[in-house]
Amino acid sequence: MRRNLRSLPSLPYLRCAGAVLVPVGAGVLLHLWAGWSMHSPVRLPAVLALLAGLGLAAVALFAHNALFREGGSVLAVLLILAGLGSVWVEARDSRIRAEVVECLVSGRVTVTHHPTFGEGAPAEKTLYHHPLSCPGGYPSQFAAERKVAEEGRTVRIAYDPAHRMDPVLESENTAHGSLVVPAVLLLSGAALSVAAIAAEGRDGTVRRRRSAP
């Protein structure tokens, strides 16, 4: 019965539609979930939000693999994984911190150096750690790649009240997220899947013609 169903002319088209809808639909759902979980008034813990996102990605990969008899293209799976990962990053970067507070730099600014290793690695990263005294007690410190203010000066810090994102300077509290990268990755994975299904259908047609009397 299963073999007969797969021989129906419409089935390859349904599988191709599924190969497109599964990664694209998962990407849309993941973007909505990430945006809501990081800025909802419920203040869902970041770990729980991330676990739910990973669960959604696992369901998408299972559904994608179910569209193939012997598993889909490895490259397509990798592209879908990369696309879903970038969806989460872009959803996070498309948000801005909801609160702004004026804080006093309450102590000496300290510097730490973070070297990188390997040929072609980026230059050493230097961080300036500013101890802060803020109304409400948060944030208590702020790290940046430059000295923002001397001890005794005030700075305006934007922060997430649920502590789901690191605080930033108010002047840098802008959205940077873009759906271009995840869209390209997910659609590329879908295109490879559709090509694999089409190639599988052509191979089946050739085998049937060769076996025909």
Side-chain angles (χ1 to χ4, degrees):
M1 180 67 178
R2 187 177 180 182
R3 184 174 299 175
N4 291 336
L5 287 175
R6 281 184 170 167
S7 66
L8 292 175
S10 62
L11 189 55
Y13 298 102
L14 293 177
R15 293 174 68 202
C16 287
V20 174
L21 291 176
V22 165
V24 173
V28 171
L29 290 175
L30 186 60
H31 189 272
L32 292 174
W33 167 254
W36 178 86
S37 63
M38 284 187 285
H39 279 269
S40 70
V42 178
R43 296 190 179 184
L44 194 68
V47 173
L48 183 58
L50 181 59
L51 288 176
L54 290 174
L56 176 60
V59 170
L61 289 179
F62 178 81
H64 171 267
N65 193 64
L67 294 169
F68 296 86
R69 290 187 178 92
E70 300 176 355
S73 164
V74 174
L75 181 56
V77 171
L78 292 177
L79 285 171
I80 292 173
L81 277 175
L84 293 177
S86 64
V87 164
W88 186 272
V89 173
E90 299 296 345
R92 179 198 64 194
D93 291 346
S94 67
R95 308 294 174 177
I96 60 174
R97 283 74 173 170
E99 300 291 338
V100 176
V101 64
E102 187 168 309
C103 303
L104 176 72
V105 180
S106 57
R108 185 173 61 89
V109 178
T110 58
V111 181
T112 58
H113 302 281
H114 303 268
T116 57
F117 303 94
E119 185 177 353
E124 179 182 77
K125 187 175 183 179
T126 300
L127 290 179
Y128 295 82
H129 301 272
H130 305 70
L132 300 177
S133 177
C134 304
Y138 182 83
S140 59
Q141 65 172 353
F142 174 73
E145 295 185 22
R146 59 185 175 88
K147 182 181 286 189
V148 175
E150 298 286 351
E151 180 179 359
R153 297 295 184 89
T154 59
V155 292
R156 292 182 61 81
I157 301 293
Y159 69 97
D160 173 20
H163 304 180
R164 291 164 292 196
M165 294 186 291
D166 294 332
V168 299
L169 291 173
E170 181 188 26
S171 59
E172 298 175 358
N173 188 30
T174 56
H176 300 286
S178 170
L179 293 178
V180 173
V181 172
V184 169
L185 291 171
L186 291 174
L187 291 176
S188 297
L192 282 177
S193 300
V194 170
I197 293 172
E200 184 181 284
R202 287 195 299 270
D203 292 342
T205 301
V206 172
R207 285 195 296 268
R208 286 195 299 271
R209 286 177 178 173
R210 288 177 177 176
S211 61

